[in-house]
Amino acid sequence: PTVTNMTVETMPNDNLLVSGEMITSISFLLRTSRPVRDKMVTSDYVLHVDRIRGRFSIAMITKEDLLIVKLEGWPDIKSRLSAVEPPQHSLSRDELNLAEVVEDVAVQAVRGVQLDIRTNRFKDFPTLVRKYSKEHK
C-alpha cells in the first residue's frame, strides 16, 4: 500500500487518531451457494480489487488495547470478478446476474468494513505512554 498525508491527533484519555490517504490492492476468495432445483449449487469467485483509493482512520483506544480501522467516506474502488474454475459452458443470464450481484455486494462490504484489532494479542505492540516534563506541571 501507499500511504500519504498521514496525520496523528491526540484524543482524550491518551487515545490517538491516525488518518491519511491510501492506495492499495487486494484479492478475496468469495463462495456463494444457492438452491437450483433440488440441490445446492456453490460457486467460487475471486474478487480482484485492483485499486482502493481513499481516506482511512485508525482510532487507537489505549486503555482497551484496541485499534479501530476503517475507510472513510466513499473510497474509489476498481474491481473485477473472475470465476475460480473456468466455466464449462457459456454463462446463463442467471449466472451473469449472480456474478454482478456478488461483485456489488463484495465491493460494498469492502467500503463499509471496520476492523477491530486487539493489540494485546501482538507481542511488544507499542502503546502510548504520555510523559510530562516539569514545565507542564
Side-chain angles (χ1 to χ4, degrees):
T2 302
V3 176
T4 58
N5 298 326
M6 195 163 75
T7 62
V8 178
E9 298 174 45
T10 57
M11 296 170 49
N13 300 321
D14 291 338
N15 297 324
L16 296 174
L17 178 64
V18 178
S19 60
E21 297 172 7
M22 66 161 221
I23 299 175
T24 193
S25 60
I26 192 168
S27 294
F28 298 97
L29 176 64
L30 307 173
R31 174 165 290 151
T32 65
S33 59
R34 65 191 188 287
V36 175
R37 296 183 187 91
D38 58 347
K39 63 180 182 172
M40 289 298 284
V41 174
T42 61
S43 302
D44 291 344
Y45 301 95
V46 176
L47 177 69
H48 305 276
V49 181
D50 297 323
R51 182 185 65 224
I52 302 173
R53 180 175 48 207
R55 291 202 55 79
F56 69 90
S57 68
I58 305 170
M60 304 173 86
I61 313 300
T62 305
K63 293 208 185 317
E64 295 180 29
D65 294 324
L66 178 65
L67 299 179
I68 301 171
V69 182
K70 60 184 177 177
L71 295 169
E72 300 291 340
W74 192 258
D76 175 41
I77 297 179
K78 180 181 175 190
S79 65
R80 56 193 163 84
L81 191 70
S82 62
V84 171
E85 296 289 327
Q88 302 297 326
H89 58 315
S90 61
L91 296 177
S92 69
R93 170 72 62 203
D94 286 345
E95 291 169 322
L96 289 170
N97 288 342
L98 175 63
E100 186 176 321
V101 168
V102 166
E103 183 174 7
D104 289 347
V105 168
V107 166
Q108 292 308 317
V110 169
R111 281 194 174 107
V113 74
Q114 174 178 307
L115 301 174
D116 295 345
I117 302 169
R118 293 286 173 189
T119 59
N120 56 1
R121 294 183 180 171
F122 301 97
K123 183 178 170 43
D124 298 326
F125 190 88
T127 57
L128 172 67
V129 177
R130 191 175 298 260
K131 306 259 181 175
Y132 294 99
S133 65
K134 291 181 181 182
E135 296 120 27
H136 287 99
K137 288 188 174 183

